[in-house]
Amino acid sequence: MMFGSNAFPFNEARGAEESFWLAAKTTRSSLSAALAELVAEGAISEDKAMELAHLYLHDTAAKLYGDKK
């Protein structure tokens, strides 16, 4: 799995930049809540949660498309 967003302008007042920001902010908030719950339940460690977050938000796409650093 990896994060992706189709940012597009909703109207003249809200452009693609705002659309992307909202998608990224919502994704990060939701992901952190889900992983925090898994850690609190003892299902995964904090280290594993961080690994999963990095994979979802960056590493998988970097491996698929090539890291452009």
Side-chain angles (χ1 to χ4, degrees):
M1 287 192 294
M2 67 181 179
F3 169 74
S5 171
N6 291 330
F8 62 93
F10 286 101
N11 54 42
E12 290 182 26
R14 184 169 297 147
E17 299 85 0
E18 290 86 358
S19 170
F20 177 76
W21 180 87
L22 182 59
K25 174 112 173 106
T26 302
T27 296
R28 289 177 183 148
S29 296
S30 301
L31 180 62
S32 66
L35 292 174
E37 187 171 333
L38 290 170
V39 169
E41 292 174 352
I44 61 173
S45 68
E46 287 185 34
D47 288 341
K48 185 63 174 180
M50 291 299 293
E51 177 189 348
L52 292 172
H54 282 276
L55 283 167
Y56 181 68
L57 295 171
H58 175 267
D59 297 348
T60 303
K63 288 175 189 172
L64 182 63
Y65 296 111
D67 199 350
K68 307 286 189 211
K69 288 184 181 179

